[in-house]
């Protein structure tokens, strides 16, 4: 009988839980919108998703948790920028209480889990030094270095969304100014387009912006070009420091495909002067919204 891992992926927009085999196949999945409100309200949504996927009676061999950061894997706590109700929230301990005593629980940032998932079962297979980037409501990232997830000293390595690309730019939710996230996240693209004359309904979002950009709307296309340039500049910095061989880009905004990837690649080609950066591969993610879940499962699978 297949062994299964319970994987949990917590983001600012949705909370997902899944049962995943040790070979990386998803056999059950549940999703809840991430609620606003206090800490327990958010955790109640997670609890509902977990109970739904465990309703079959399958006993997992462990639990892997991907969560928006910052995270503290050693303490098992999280303080997601986009989940205001969770500050130093003891996520790992609270999840343990839902399950059988003694079950191993591992926590990592959602960017690291995205990278690990793409490295294990997606576009990054076979690479040794890889950066994964999620471009969505926010921008996160994670690295796989020498074939292993790289956490850094605090567990938060890979926060490429908070590399500064516009020192005099807008304030970021992290408290800084001009972070990549303030330029290239979904909401930032829409706000820039609206400030520059894009006429759209009040509920306009990045998906609508992408649809119009694909149809040739010049302001929408400029928004994506600007966002792609910001991501590309951050990639150059990361690749120069770590000597990456590959970057995999996923997330809702990255689903726009060439609209975002082309300006990223163009920026890297134009600005990456060092010879060892010339062969850097930049690819779209293959696992879509499942990358974080699969990477969360990999936290357990790699330790079995």
């Amino acid at each position: 009988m297949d062994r299964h891992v319970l994987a949990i992926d917590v983001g600012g927009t949705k909370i997902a839980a899944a049962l995943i085999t040790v070979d990386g196949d998803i056999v059950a999945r549940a999703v809840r919108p991430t609620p606003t409100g206090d800490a327990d309200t958010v955790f109640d949504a997670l609890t509902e998703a977990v109970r739904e996927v465990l309703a079959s009676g399958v006993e997992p061999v462990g639990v892997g948790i991907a969560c928006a950061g910052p995270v503290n894997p050693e303490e098992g706590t999280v303080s997601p920028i986009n989940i205001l109700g969770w500050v130093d929230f003891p996520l790992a301990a609270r999840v343990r209480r839902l399950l059988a005593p003694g079950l191993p629980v591992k926590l990592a940032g959602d960017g690291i889990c995205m990278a690990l998932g793409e490295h294990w079962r997606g576009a990054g297979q076979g690479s040794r030094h890889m950066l994964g980037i999620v471009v969505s409501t926010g921008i996160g990232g994670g690295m796989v270095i020498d074939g292993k997830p790289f956490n850094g000293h605090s567990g938060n390595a890979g926060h490429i969304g908070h590399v500064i690309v516009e020192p005099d730019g807008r304030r970021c939710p992290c408290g800084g100014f001009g972070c990549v996230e303030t330029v290239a996240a979904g909401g930032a693209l829409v706000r820039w387009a609206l400030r520059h004359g894009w006429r759209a309904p009040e509920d306009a979002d990045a998906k609508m912006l992408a649809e119009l950009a694909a149809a040739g709307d010049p302001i929408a296309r400029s928004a994506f070009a600007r966002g792609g340039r910001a991501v590309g500049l951050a990639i150059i910095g990361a690749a120069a420091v770590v000597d990456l061989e590959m970057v995999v880009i996923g997330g809702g905004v990255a689903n726009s495909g060439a609209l975002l990837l082309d300006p990223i690649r163009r920026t890297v080609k134009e600005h990456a002067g060092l010879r060892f950066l010339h062969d850097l591969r930049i690819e779209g993610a293959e696992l879509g919204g499942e990358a974080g879940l699969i990477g969360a499962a990999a936290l357990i699978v790699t330790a079995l």
Side-chain angles (χ1 to χ4, degrees):
M1 181 181 293
D2 285 335
R3 294 182 294 171
H4 297 81
V5 173
L6 172 62
I8 300 169
D9 185 9
V10 181
T13 304
K14 65 179 176 64
I15 297 171
L19 277 174
I20 300 178
T21 69
V22 294
D23 293 322
D25 297 318
I26 296 176
V27 297
R29 185 175 184 271
V31 179
R32 298 290 187 277
T34 303
T36 57
D38 62 18
D40 287 337
T41 299
V42 179
F43 190 75
D44 286 346
L46 183 153
T47 301
E48 289 178 7
V50 167
R51 287 177 175 165
E52 182 177 332
V53 298
L54 294 181
S56 64
V58 171
E59 293 288 342
V61 297
V63 184
I65 307 172
C67 186
V71 303
N72 186 328
E74 294 298 321
E75 298 292 333
T77 59
V78 300
S79 302
I81 292 171
N82 294 317
I83 303 178
L84 300 180
W86 281 5
V87 178
D88 292 327
F89 184 75
L91 180 56
R94 291 288 297 270
V95 168
R96 283 190 183 95
R97 294 179 201 168
L98 298 176
L99 303 161
L103 201 65
V105 175
K106 290 185 176 292
L107 167 70
D110 58 353
I112 289 176
C113 288
M114 176 270 184
L116 191 56
E118 288 289 341
H119 181 263
W120 181 27
R121 292 294 303 267
Q125 292 181 75
S127 63
R128 298 291 296 173
H129 300 84
M130 188 198 103
L131 169 66
I133 302 177
V134 179
V135 186
S136 188
T137 307
I139 297 179
M143 289 184 284
V144 175
I145 302 299
D146 199 22
K148 300 176 182 179
F150 179 71
N151 292 309
H153 85 278
S154 71
N156 290 287
H159 264 65
I160 195 163
H162 300 285
V163 172
I164 296 170
V165 292
E166 293 185 343
D168 299 320
R170 298 175 69 86
R171 180 177 283 277
C172 179
C174 76
F177 290 88
C179 298
V180 175
E181 190 167 299
T182 68
V183 180
L189 296 178
V190 171
R191 287 189 294 272
W192 184 90
L194 290 171
R195 290 196 305 271
H196 287 79
W198 184 48
R199 301 188 178 216
E202 290 185 5
D203 61 348
D205 58 14
K207 182 179 179 182
M208 183 182 299
L209 187 72
E211 291 170 351
L212 290 177
D217 184 290
I219 295 174
R221 293 187 70 85
S222 293
F224 275 92
R226 179 174 177 267
R229 181 178 184 275
V231 175
L233 291 173
I235 286 171
I236 293 168
V241 171
V242 185
D243 193 7
L244 299 168
E245 64 184 289
M246 187 173 193
V247 179
V248 177
I249 303 175
V253 175
N255 289 339
S256 61
L259 284 171
L260 185 69
L261 291 178
D262 282 356
I264 290 173
R265 290 173 174 139
R266 184 165 59 248
T267 299
V268 171
K269 183 176 181 180
E270 290 175 354
H271 294 278
L274 294 168
R275 182 173 294 181
F276 70 84
L277 298 177
H278 292 178
D279 294 328
L280 180 65
R281 294 170 55 203
I282 299 172
E283 303 292 344
E286 294 180 355
L287 300 179
E290 315 294 2
L293 284 169
I294 292 174
L299 296 172
I300 297 295
V301 172
T302 55
L304 292 176

Coordinates of all heavy atoms in Angstrom, one line a residue, residues 91-164:
L91 N 2.3 27.6 14.3 CA 1.6 26.8 13.3 C 1.9 25.3 13.4 O 1.0 24.5 13.4 CB 1.9 27.3 11.9 CG 1.2 26.6 10.7 CD1 -0.3 26.6 10.8 CD2 1.6 27.2 9.4
A92 N 3.1 25.0 13.5 CA 3.5 23.5 13.6 C 2.9 22.9 14.8 O 2.3 21.8 14.7 CB 5.0 23.4 13.6
A93 N 2.9 23.5 16.0 CA 2.3 23.0 17.2 C 0.8 22.8 17.1 O 0.2 21.8 17.5 CB 2.7 23.8 18.4
R94 N 0.2 23.8 16.5 CA -1.3 23.7 16.3 C -1.7 22.6 15.4 O -2.7 21.9 15.6 CB -1.8 25.1 15.8 CG -1.7 26.2 16.8 CD -2.7 26.0 17.9 NE -4.1 26.1 17.5 CZ -4.8 27.2 17.4 NH1 -4.3 28.4 17.8 NH2 -6.1 27.1 17.0
V95 N -0.9 22.4 14.3 CA -1.2 21.3 13.4 C -1.0 19.9 14.1 O -1.8 19.0 13.9 CB -0.3 21.4 12.1 CG1 -0.4 20.1 11.3 CG2 -0.8 22.6 11.3
R96 N 0.1 19.8 14.9 CA 0.3 18.6 15.6 C -0.9 18.2 16.4 O -1.2 17.0 16.5 CB 1.6 18.7 16.5 CG 2.9 18.7 15.8 CD 4.0 18.6 16.7 NE 5.3 18.6 16.0 CZ 6.0 19.7 15.8 NH1 5.6 20.8 16.3 NH2 7.2 19.6 15.1
R97 N -1.6 19.1 17.0 CA -2.7 18.8 17.9 C -3.9 18.2 17.1 O -4.7 17.5 17.7 CB -3.2 20.0 18.6 CG -2.2 20.6 19.6 CD -2.8 21.9 20.2 NE -1.8 22.7 20.8 CZ -2.0 24.0 21.1 NH1 -3.2 24.5 21.0 NH2 -1.0 24.7 21.7
L98 N -3.9 18.4 15.8 CA -5.0 17.8 15.0 C -4.7 16.4 14.6 O -5.7 15.7 14.1 CB -5.1 18.6 13.6 CG -5.4 20.1 13.7 CD1 -5.4 20.7 12.3 CD2 -6.8 20.3 14.3
L99 N -3.5 15.9 14.8 CA -3.1 14.6 14.3 C -2.6 13.6 15.3 O -2.5 14.0 16.5 CB -2.1 14.8 13.2 CG -2.5 15.8 12.1 CD1 -1.3 16.3 11.3 CD2 -3.5 15.1 11.1
A100 N -2.3 12.4 14.9 CA -1.8 11.4 15.8 C -0.5 11.9 16.5 O 0.4 12.5 15.9 CB -1.6 10.1 15.1
P101 N -0.4 11.6 17.8 CA 0.9 12.0 18.5 C 2.1 11.3 17.9 O 2.1 10.2 17.4 CB 0.6 11.4 20.0 CG -0.8 11.3 20.1 CD -1.3 10.9 18.7
G102 N 3.2 12.1 17.9 CA 4.5 11.6 17.4 C 4.6 11.7 15.9 O 5.7 11.4 15.4
L103 N 3.6 12.2 15.1 CA 3.8 12.3 13.7 C 4.7 13.4 13.4 O 4.6 14.5 13.9 CB 2.4 12.6 13.1 CG 2.2 12.3 11.6 CD1 2.3 10.8 11.4 CD2 0.8 12.8 11.2
P104 N 5.8 13.1 12.5 CA 6.7 14.2 12.2 C 6.0 15.3 11.4 O 5.2 15.1 10.5 CB 7.7 13.5 11.3 CG 7.1 12.3 10.8 CD 6.1 11.9 11.9
V105 N 6.3 16.6 11.8 CA 5.8 17.8 11.2 C 7.0 18.7 10.8 O 7.8 19.0 11.7 CB 4.8 18.5 12.1 CG1 4.4 19.8 11.5 CG2 3.6 17.7 12.5
K106 N 7.1 19.0 9.5 CA 8.1 19.9 9.1 C 7.5 21.2 8.4 O 6.5 21.1 7.7 CB 9.0 19.2 8.1 CG 9.9 18.1 8.7 CD 10.9 17.5 7.7 CE 11.8 16.5 8.4 NZ 12.8 17.2 9.3
L107 N 8.1 22.3 8.7 CA 7.6 23.6 8.2 C 8.7 24.3 7.4 O 9.9 24.3 7.8 CB 7.2 24.5 9.4 CG 7.0 26.0 9.2 CD1 5.7 26.2 8.4 CD2 6.9 26.7 10.5
A108 N 8.3 24.9 6.3 CA 9.2 25.8 5.5 C 8.4 26.9 4.9 O 7.2 26.8 4.7 CB 10.0 24.9 4.5
G109 N 9.1 27.9 4.4 CA 8.5 28.9 3.6 C 7.9 28.4 2.4 O 8.4 27.5 1.8
D110 N 6.8 29.1 1.9 CA 6.1 28.6 0.7 C 7.0 28.7 -0.5 O 6.9 27.9 -1.5 CB 4.8 29.4 0.5 CG 5.0 30.9 0.4 OD1 6.1 31.4 0.6 OD2 3.9 31.5 0.1
G111 N 7.9 29.7 -0.5 CA 8.8 29.8 -1.7 C 9.8 28.7 -1.8 O 10.1 28.2 -2.8
I112 N 10.3 28.3 -0.6 CA 11.2 27.1 -0.6 C 10.5 25.9 -1.0 O 11.0 25.1 -1.8 CB 11.8 27.0 0.8 CG1 12.8 28.1 1.1 CG2 12.5 25.6 1.0 CD1 13.4 28.1 2.5
C113 N 9.2 25.7 -0.6 CA 8.5 24.5 -1.0 C 8.1 24.6 -2.4 O 8.2 23.5 -3.1 CB 7.2 24.4 -0.1 SG 7.5 24.0 1.6
M114 N 7.8 25.7 -3.0 CA 7.6 25.8 -4.4 C 8.8 25.3 -5.2 O 8.8 24.5 -6.1 CB 7.2 27.2 -4.8 CG 7.1 27.5 -6.3 SD 8.6 27.9 -7.1 CE 8.0 28.2 -8.8
A115 N 10.0 25.9 -4.8 CA 11.2 25.5 -5.4 C 11.5 24.0 -5.3 O 11.9 23.3 -6.3 CB 12.4 26.3 -4.9
L116 N 11.3 23.4 -4.1 CA 11.5 22.0 -3.9 C 10.6 21.2 -4.7 O 10.9 20.1 -5.2 CB 11.4 21.7 -2.4 CG 11.8 20.4 -1.9 CD1 13.3 20.1 -2.2 CD2 11.6 20.3 -0.3
G117 N 9.3 21.6 -4.8 CA 8.3 20.8 -5.6 C 8.7 20.8 -7.0 O 8.7 19.8 -7.7
E118 N 9.1 22.0 -7.6 CA 9.5 22.0 -9.0 C 10.8 21.2 -9.3 O 10.9 20.7 -10.3 CB 9.6 23.5 -9.5 CG 8.3 24.2 -9.6 CD 7.5 23.8 -10.8 OE1 8.1 23.2 -11.7 OE2 6.3 24.1 -10.8
H119 N 11.6 21.2 -8.3 CA 12.9 20.5 -8.4 C 12.6 19.0 -8.4 O 13.3 18.2 -9.1 CB 13.8 20.9 -7.3 CG 15.1 20.2 -7.3 ND1 15.4 19.0 -6.5 CD2 16.3 20.5 -8.0 CE1 16.7 18.7 -6.8 NE2 17.2 19.5 -7.6
W120 N 11.7 18.6 -7.6 CA 11.4 17.1 -7.4 C 10.5 16.6 -8.6 O 10.9 15.6 -9.2 CB 10.6 16.9 -6.1 CG 10.3 15.5 -5.8 CD1 10.9 14.4 -6.2 CD2 9.2 15.1 -4.9 NE1 10.3 13.3 -5.6 CE2 9.2 13.7 -4.9 CE3 8.2 15.8 -4.2 CZ2 8.3 12.9 -4.1 CZ3 7.3 15.0 -3.5 CH2 7.3 13.6 -3.4
R121 N 9.5 17.3 -8.9 CA 8.5 16.8 -9.9 C 8.2 17.7 -11.1 O 7.3 17.4 -11.9 CB 7.2 16.4 -9.2 CG 7.3 15.2 -8.2 CD 7.6 13.9 -8.9 NE 6.6 13.6 -9.9 CZ 5.5 12.9 -9.7 NH1 5.2 12.4 -8.5 NH2 4.7 12.6 -10.7
G122 N 8.8 18.9 -11.2 CA 8.5 19.8 -12.2 C 9.6 20.3 -13.1 O 10.5 19.5 -13.5
A123 N 9.6 21.5 -13.4 CA 10.5 22.1 -14.4 C 12.0 22.0 -14.0 O 12.9 22.1 -14.9 CB 10.1 23.5 -14.8
G124 N 12.2 21.9 -12.7 CA 13.6 22.0 -12.2 C 14.3 20.6 -12.1 O 15.4 20.5 -11.5
Q125 N 13.6 19.6 -12.5 CA 14.2 18.2 -12.4 C 15.6 18.2 -13.0 O 15.7 18.6 -14.2 CB 13.3 17.2 -13.0 CG 12.0 17.0 -12.2 CD 11.1 15.9 -12.8 OE1 11.3 14.7 -12.7 NE2 10.0 16.4 -13.5
G126 N 16.5 17.6 -12.3 CA 17.9 17.4 -12.8 C 18.8 18.6 -12.5 O 20.0 18.4 -12.7
S127 N 18.3 19.7 -12.1 CA 19.1 20.9 -11.8 C 19.7 20.7 -10.4 O 19.2 20.0 -9.5 CB 18.4 22.2 -11.8 OG 17.3 22.2 -10.9
R128 N 20.8 21.3 -10.1 CA 21.5 21.3 -8.8 C 21.4 22.6 -8.0 O 21.4 22.6 -6.8 CB 23.0 20.9 -9.0 CG 23.2 19.5 -9.6 CD 22.8 18.4 -8.7 NE 23.6 18.4 -7.5 CZ 23.3 17.5 -6.5 NH1 22.3 16.7 -6.5 NH2 24.1 17.5 -5.4
H129 N 21.4 23.7 -8.8 CA 21.4 25.0 -8.2 C 20.3 25.8 -8.8 O 20.4 26.4 -9.9 CB 22.7 25.7 -8.4 CG 23.9 24.9 -7.7 ND1 24.5 23.9 -8.4 CD2 24.4 25.0 -6.5 CE1 25.4 23.4 -7.6 NE2 25.4 24.1 -6.4
M130 N 19.2 25.9 -8.1 CA 17.9 26.4 -8.7 C 17.2 27.4 -7.8 O 17.2 27.3 -6.6 CB 17.0 25.3 -9.0 CG 15.7 25.6 -9.8 SD 14.4 24.3 -9.6 CE 13.4 25.2 -8.4
L131 N 16.7 28.5 -8.4 CA 15.8 29.4 -7.7 C 14.4 29.3 -8.2 O 14.2 29.3 -9.4 CB 16.3 30.9 -8.0 CG 15.4 32.0 -7.5 CD1 15.3 32.1 -6.0 CD2 15.9 33.3 -8.1
G132 N 13.5 29.1 -7.3 CA 12.1 29.1 -7.7 C 11.5 30.4 -7.2 O 11.7 30.9 -6.2
I133 N 10.6 31.0 -8.1 CA 10.0 32.3 -7.8 C 8.5 32.2 -8.0 O 8.0 31.6 -9.0 CB 10.5 33.4 -8.7 CG1 12.0 33.6 -8.5 CG2 9.8 34.8 -8.4 CD1 12.6 34.7 -9.5
V134 N 7.7 32.7 -7.0 CA 6.2 32.7 -7.2 C 5.8 34.2 -7.3 O 6.1 35.0 -6.5 CB 5.6 32.1 -5.9 CG1 4.1 32.2 -6.0 CG2 6.0 30.7 -5.7
V135 N 5.2 34.5 -8.5 CA 4.7 35.8 -8.7 C 3.2 35.8 -8.7 O 2.6 35.2 -9.6 CB 5.2 36.4 -10.1 CG1 4.8 37.8 -10.3 CG2 6.7 36.2 -10.2
S136 N 2.6 36.3 -7.6 CA 1.2 36.2 -7.4 C 0.7 37.4 -6.7 O 1.1 38.5 -7.0 CB 0.9 34.9 -6.7 OG -0.5 34.6 -6.6
T137 N -0.1 37.2 -5.6 CA -0.6 38.3 -4.8 C 0.6 39.0 -4.2 O 0.7 40.2 -4.0 CB -1.5 37.7 -3.6 OG1 -2.5 36.9 -4.2 CG2 -2.0 38.8 -2.8
G138 N 1.6 38.2 -3.8 CA 2.9 38.7 -3.4 C 4.0 38.0 -4.2 O 3.6 37.3 -5.2
I139 N 5.2 38.2 -3.9 CA 6.3 37.6 -4.7 C 7.2 36.9 -3.6 O 7.8 37.5 -2.8 CB 7.1 38.5 -5.5 CG1 6.2 39.1 -6.6 CG2 8.3 37.8 -6.2 CD1 6.9 40.1 -7.5
G140 N 7.4 35.6 -3.8 CA 8.2 34.8 -2.9 C 9.2 34.0 -3.7 O 9.1 33.9 -4.9
G141 N 10.0 33.3 -3.0 CA 11.0 32.5 -3.7 C 11.7 31.5 -2.7 O 11.5 31.6 -1.5
G142 N 12.4 30.6 -3.3 CA 13.2 29.6 -2.5 C 14.3 29.1 -3.4 O 14.2 29.1 -4.6
M143 N 15.3 28.5 -2.8 CA 16.4 28.0 -3.5 C 16.7 26.5 -3.2 O 16.5 26.1 -2.0 CB 17.7 28.8 -3.2 CG 17.6 30.2 -3.9 SD 19.2 31.1 -3.6 CE 19.0 31.6 -1.9
V144 N 17.1 25.8 -4.2 CA 17.6 24.4 -4.0 C 19.1 24.5 -4.4 O 19.4 24.8 -5.5 CB 16.9 23.4 -4.9 CG1 17.5 22.0 -4.8 CG2 15.4 23.4 -4.5
I145 N 20.0 24.3 -3.4 CA 21.4 24.4 -3.6 C 22.1 23.1 -3.4 O 21.9 22.4 -2.4 CB 22.0 25.5 -2.7 CG1 21.3 26.9 -2.9 CG2 23.5 25.6 -2.9 CD1 21.4 27.4 -4.3
D146 N 22.8 22.7 -4.4 CA 23.5 21.4 -4.4 C 22.4 20.3 -4.2 O 22.7 19.3 -3.5 CB 24.6 21.3 -3.3 CG 25.5 20.2 -3.6 OD1 25.6 19.7 -4.7 OD2 26.2 19.7 -2.6
G147 N 21.3 20.5 -4.8 CA 20.2 19.5 -4.8 C 19.4 19.4 -3.5 O 18.5 18.6 -3.4
K148 N 19.6 20.4 -2.6 CA 18.9 20.4 -1.3 C 18.3 21.7 -1.1 O 18.8 22.7 -1.5 CB 19.8 20.0 -0.2 CG 20.5 18.6 -0.3 CD 21.5 18.4 0.8 CE 22.2 17.1 0.6 NZ 23.2 16.9 1.7
P149 N 17.1 21.8 -0.4 CA 16.5 23.1 -0.1 C 17.5 23.9 0.8 O 18.0 23.4 1.8 CB 15.2 22.7 0.7 CG 15.4 21.3 1.2 CD 16.4 20.6 0.2
F150 N 17.6 25.1 0.5 CA 18.5 26.0 1.2 C 17.6 27.0 2.0 O 16.9 27.8 1.5 CB 19.4 26.8 0.3 CG 20.3 27.8 1.0 CD1 21.4 27.3 1.7 CD2 20.1 29.1 0.9 CE1 22.2 28.2 2.4 CE2 21.0 30.0 1.6 CZ 22.0 29.5 2.3
N151 N 17.7 26.9 3.4 CA 16.9 27.7 4.2 C 17.5 29.0 4.7 O 16.8 29.9 5.1 CB 16.5 26.8 5.5 CG 15.6 25.7 5.1 OD1 14.6 25.9 4.5 ND2 16.0 24.5 5.6
G152 N 18.8 29.1 4.7 CA 19.5 30.2 5.3 C 19.5 30.1 6.8 O 18.9 29.1 7.4
H153 N 20.1 31.0 7.5 CA 20.3 30.9 9.0 C 19.0 31.0 9.7 O 18.8 30.5 10.8 CB 21.3 31.9 9.5 CG 20.8 33.2 9.8 ND1 20.6 34.2 8.9 CD2 20.4 33.8 11.0 CE1 20.1 35.3 9.4 NE2 20.0 35.1 10.7
S154 N 17.9 31.7 9.2 CA 16.7 31.9 9.9 C 15.5 31.1 9.3 O 14.4 31.1 9.8 CB 16.3 33.4 9.9 OG 15.9 33.8 8.6
G155 N 15.8 30.4 8.2 CA 14.8 29.7 7.5 C 14.0 30.5 6.4 O 13.0 30.0 5.9
N156 N 14.6 31.7 6.1 CA 13.9 32.6 5.2 C 14.6 32.9 3.9 O 14.3 33.9 3.3 CB 13.5 33.8 5.9 CG 12.4 33.6 6.9 OD1 11.2 33.4 6.6 ND2 12.8 33.6 8.2
A157 N 15.6 32.1 3.6 CA 16.4 32.3 2.3 C 15.4 32.3 1.1 O 14.4 31.6 1.1 CB 17.4 31.3 2.2
G158 N 15.7 33.1 0.2 CA 14.9 33.1 -1.1 C 13.9 34.2 -1.2 O 13.1 34.2 -2.1
H159 N 13.8 35.1 -0.2 CA 12.8 36.2 -0.3 C 13.1 37.2 -1.4 O 13.3 38.4 -1.1 CB 12.7 36.9 1.1 CG 11.6 36.3 2.0 ND1 11.6 35.0 2.4 CD2 10.4 36.8 2.4 CE1 10.5 34.8 3.2 NE2 9.8 35.9 3.2
I160 N 13.1 36.7 -2.6 CA 13.5 37.6 -3.7 C 12.5 38.7 -3.9 O 12.8 39.7 -4.5 CB 13.7 36.7 -5.0 CG1 14.5 37.6 -6.0 CG2 12.4 36.2 -5.5 CD1 15.1 36.7 -7.1
G161 N 11.3 38.5 -3.5 CA 10.3 39.6 -3.6 C 10.6 40.8 -2.9 O 10.0 41.9 -3.1
H162 N 11.6 40.7 -2.0 CA 12.0 41.9 -1.2 C 13.4 42.4 -1.4 O 14.0 43.1 -0.6 CB 11.7 41.6 0.3 CG 10.2 41.3 0.5 ND1 9.3 42.3 0.5 CD2 9.6 40.1 0.6 CE1 8.1 41.7 0.7 NE2 8.3 40.4 0.7
V163 N 13.9 42.0 -2.6 CA 15.1 42.6 -3.2 C 14.6 44.0 -3.7 O 13.6 44.1 -4.3 CB 15.7 41.8 -4.3 CG1 16.8 42.5 -5.0 CG2 16.2 40.4 -3.8
I164 N 15.4 45.0 -3.4 CA 15.0 46.4 -3.7 C 15.5 46.7 -5.2 O 16.7 46.5 -5.5 CB 15.6 47.4 -2.8 CG1 15.0 47.2 -1.4 CG2 15.4 48.8 -3.2 CD1 15.8 47.9 -0.3

